[in-house]
Amino acid sequence: MRKINTRDFKRATRSTSRDINRKILLNLVREHQPISRADLARRMEVGRGMVTTLANELLADGAIMEGAVGEAPRGRKPTMLFVRTRDRLVVAVDVRFSRTYVMLSDFSGTQLALESFETEFDPATLVAEIARRVERLVGTYAAKWQVEGVGLVVPGMVDRASGRILNSPQLGWRDVDIRDALEEALELPVQIENAPLACALAHMWLGERGDGAGDFVYVTVSDGVGAGVVVNGQVVRGHGHTAGEFGHVPINPDGPLCLCGSRGCWEAYTSNLATLARYLGGQDLSPAENRELLKHHEVTFADLVTRARTGDARALAALRETGRYLGLGLATIVNSMNPSRIVVGGEITSAWDLVADLVRAEVEGRALTRAAAATPIIPEQTSTHPRLRGATALVAAPVFAAPQVA
């Protein structure tokens, strides 16, 4: 149960129940489309008249659309309802240390166009380059369609209210605002979020049949490592917007110096940069040393996986060591958060068959109970671009979320 805060509360109004019913109907359409009004009435356990009224309002708002006529054993054939997605577009931007990705997608997260460029570390230069590419994509692909907004994900802690990036060790930023500058440049609303939290939102709102609801932790492994924690269908941000920063939990106090200033952080052993540097240099180095090493090599994480699959013993050993470290960190999450499941996203999932046994062994060996040891660990395929889908969810999810009580 959630306690009512008598010092900070919002009163329900007459419109609240109607707004809730509209959102319930909209989410039922999203999860069961194509669906008829009669089926919606049965699922909501209300009369056909109420469903017709609510559906007509959503049709008028452009949230849903009518599609093909369905089959019926007798009587008039039903007109099926769908969530309107194809002509509602979102620009998704994923800023990483190595590259920045810009994707144009529809409201369901289906990719229409994708491009990338080397990340600029000066905030003003980065904003200008993102704006230039977004304007070109929108002009090419979206002239006749409606762009709803821009979702921007970054590797770091974000204050959602102000839009400021509080701390991004990977980018070397503290208290930086790029959201407002990008909004001004594009004249579009921009939503900004920490990448793992955005991935968790995408798993909840863009997953098949609403499979992402409930309690889970989404761990993203890319140039850095972080986690999005979901409890009772809500992401946990923490009092100071630092919840889920498991990547900066030390697993070895005498380990390599992390970009955050601590030693032996989980990220320093498990990130893509750490895996590549382990393969190239034969040892665990600091992220700063990893970057210098990688400047002189053109091996990508995908190349490393290919080499491991084609007989390169060092490549396989580097990946499996990362799998062991990944499992060690996941065990910490299992013991501290006790989620119903953990979803892993990022390039490491392309080698999941090579590392899964080590990941599972670490979790099972360190979990405190049998139930915890059996926590499902689910890899999300890299082909889905989870971080970009997370950026899309920043714009799309509020359409489906429960209304705020005013």
Side-chain angles (χ1 to χ4, degrees):
M1 293 183 292
R2 180 177 298 171
K3 182 179 179 181
I4 294 175
N5 185 346
T6 57
R7 295 180 178 84
D8 182 16
F9 61 89
K10 294 183 178 180
R11 179 177 54 83
T13 66
R14 290 183 179 180
S15 65
T16 302
S17 60
R18 188 174 194 85
D19 289 342
I20 291 172
N21 287 336
R22 280 163 52 98
K23 288 297 180 76
I24 290 172
L25 188 142
L26 177 60
N27 278 279
L28 284 171
V29 173
R30 178 178 68 89
E31 294 182 14
H32 300 285
Q33 59 186 326
I35 188 171
S36 68
R37 291 168 175 82
D39 195 6
L40 284 168
R42 285 192 292 271
R43 289 180 179 275
M44 292 182 69
E45 298 182 348
V46 299
R48 287 281 300 273
M50 177 182 287
V51 165
T52 297
T53 299
L54 295 171
N56 287 343
E57 291 175 0
L58 290 171
L59 285 165
D61 290 345
I64 63 174
M65 58 185 291
E66 292 181 326
V69 174
E71 296 296 326
R74 59 182 182 276
R76 189 171 67 179
K77 293 182 178 181
T79 301
M80 310 306 282
L81 299 175
F82 299 78
V83 172
R84 179 174 152 244
T85 59
R86 291 185 180 178
D87 60 344
R88 304 171 72 188
L89 304 184
V90 177
V91 175
V93 182
D94 173 18
V95 179
R96 305 189 187 192
F97 164 74
S98 55
R99 298 189 71 78
T100 293
Y101 297 81
V102 181
M103 181 178 77
L104 187 68
S105 75
D106 69 14
F107 225 56
S108 68
T110 301
Q111 176 186 317
L112 301 178
L114 174 66
E115 60 181 64
S116 68
F117 60 92
E118 288 191 13
T119 297
E120 300 282 354
F121 293 96
D122 174 68
T125 305
L126 178 62
V127 167
E129 183 63 20
I130 292 172
R132 186 178 69 83
R133 291 173 181 267
V134 169
E135 288 171 349
R136 186 173 69 243
L137 284 179
V138 171
T140 302
Y141 294 92
K144 297 181 180 179
W145 292 347
Q146 178 180 350
V147 178
E148 303 279 343
V150 178
L152 173 66
V153 300
V154 295
M157 291 139 265
V158 174
D159 182 343
R160 283 274 288 163
S162 68
R164 301 191 74 82
I165 301 167
L166 303 176
N167 184 10
S168 176
Q170 286 188 47
L171 301 177
W173 291 355
R174 279 186 180 270
D175 198 27
V176 170
D177 180 11
I178 63 172
R179 183 195 67 181
D180 292 349
L182 192 58
E183 279 189 343
E184 183 177 351
L186 294 174
E187 297 183 345
L188 286 169
V190 176
Q191 305 296 327
I192 187 171
E193 184 58 277
N194 165 268
L197 288 183
C199 288
L201 285 171
H203 190 68
M204 283 193 289
W205 294 108
L206 300 182
E208 293 293 326
R209 308 294 182 186
D211 184 53
D215 303 328
F216 68 94
V217 174
Y218 192 108
V219 175
T220 176
V221 182
S222 61
D223 290 353
V225 178
V229 179
V230 175
V231 177
N232 294 330
Q234 291 186 317
V235 295
V236 177
R237 302 184 185 279
H239 178 70
H241 311 286
T242 62
E245 289 293 334
F246 285 96
H248 295 293
V249 172
I251 60 175
N252 178 1
D254 298 318
L257 182 65
C258 182
L259 294 172
C260 72
S262 295
R263 285 194 172 274
C265 292
W266 187 30
E267 177 177 299
Y269 291 96
T270 313
S271 71
N272 293 353
L273 301 180
T275 304
L276 285 168
R278 187 180 299 121
Y279 168 67
L280 295 169
Q283 59 182 320
D284 293 317
L285 304 172
S286 72
E289 292 171 320
N290 291 343
R291 293 179 179 184
E292 287 300 315
L293 177 63
L294 293 173
K295 284 181 181 179
H296 306 289
H297 298 272
E298 296 184 355
V299 180
T300 67
F301 196 89
D303 295 333
L304 182 66
V305 175
T306 299
R307 294 182 185 189
R309 294 190 184 283
T310 53
D312 188 327
R314 277 199 309 128
L316 180 60
L319 284 170
R320 287 182 64 79
E321 187 72 354
T322 294
R324 188 176 72 83
Y325 283 124
L326 178 60
L328 194 157
L330 295 184
T332 299
I333 293 175
V334 166
N335 288 336
S336 60
M337 302 302 301
N338 191 212
S340 64
R341 64 191 180 283
I342 296 174
V343 181
V344 179
E347 288 72 20
I348 190 65
T349 63
S350 65
W352 199 251
D353 58 314
L354 303 178
V355 303
D357 59 329
L358 288 164
V359 173
R360 175 53 63 185
E362 288 293 337
V363 171
E364 291 179 351
R366 297 172 184 275
L368 298 176
T369 67
R370 290 184 180 178
T375 302
I377 301 171
I378 305 164
E380 186 159 70
Q381 295 305 309
T382 55
S383 60
T384 63
H385 299 294
R387 290 164 66 104
L388 286 168
R389 282 172 62 83
T392 301
L394 297 180
V395 179
V399 174
F400 303 100
Q404 296 291 323
V405 177

